[in-house]
Amino acid sequence: MTDELATRSGGSLADMLERVLDKGIVIVGDISVSVVDVELLTLRVRLFVASAQTAQEMGMDWWTNDPFFSPGRRQLAADDSAGH
């Protein structure tokens, strides 16, 4: 019985993860720290979880032009800045 439960929950967890990566999920939250009605710190969290393919389909492909994520582009950027 325990093996059957693990198999079902593992399968459903994998299915859920596949759906999240396929469709994407957005998690939004704000954290505020205040003392005596004086706001000391505010953190705004926006988290988007999806596969790279889903993100590209939605127009979020910032990593394709970022030299940090593309070693070839990093060298091109270094050569460009050295030439100017």
Side-chain angles (χ1 to χ4, degrees):
M1 177 125 180
T2 306
D3 291 336
E4 181 183 325
L5 180 59
T7 301
R8 280 190 293 155
S9 64
S12 64
L13 180 60
D15 291 341
M16 183 179 69
L17 182 59
E18 184 178 342
R19 278 189 220 128
V20 165
L21 292 176
D22 185 46
K23 302 289 184 190
I25 186 170
V26 177
I27 300 170
V28 177
D30 294 334
I31 300 169
S32 178
V33 177
S34 300
V35 175
V36 192
D37 291 334
V38 176
E39 190 172 307
L40 300 175
L41 176 69
T42 299
L43 299 173
R44 296 185 182 273
V45 179
R46 306 296 183 258
L47 178 66
F48 175 71
V49 179
S51 68
Q53 180 181 359
T54 301
Q56 283 181 324
E57 289 170 0
M58 294 179 162
M60 291 186 267
D61 61 351
W62 51 267
W63 63 89
T64 57
N65 296 321
D66 191 326
F68 181 78
F69 294 105
S70 304
R73 290 186 188 272
R74 190 178 316 161
Q75 184 60 41
L76 288 173
D79 292 346
D80 238 12
S81 64
H84 290 107

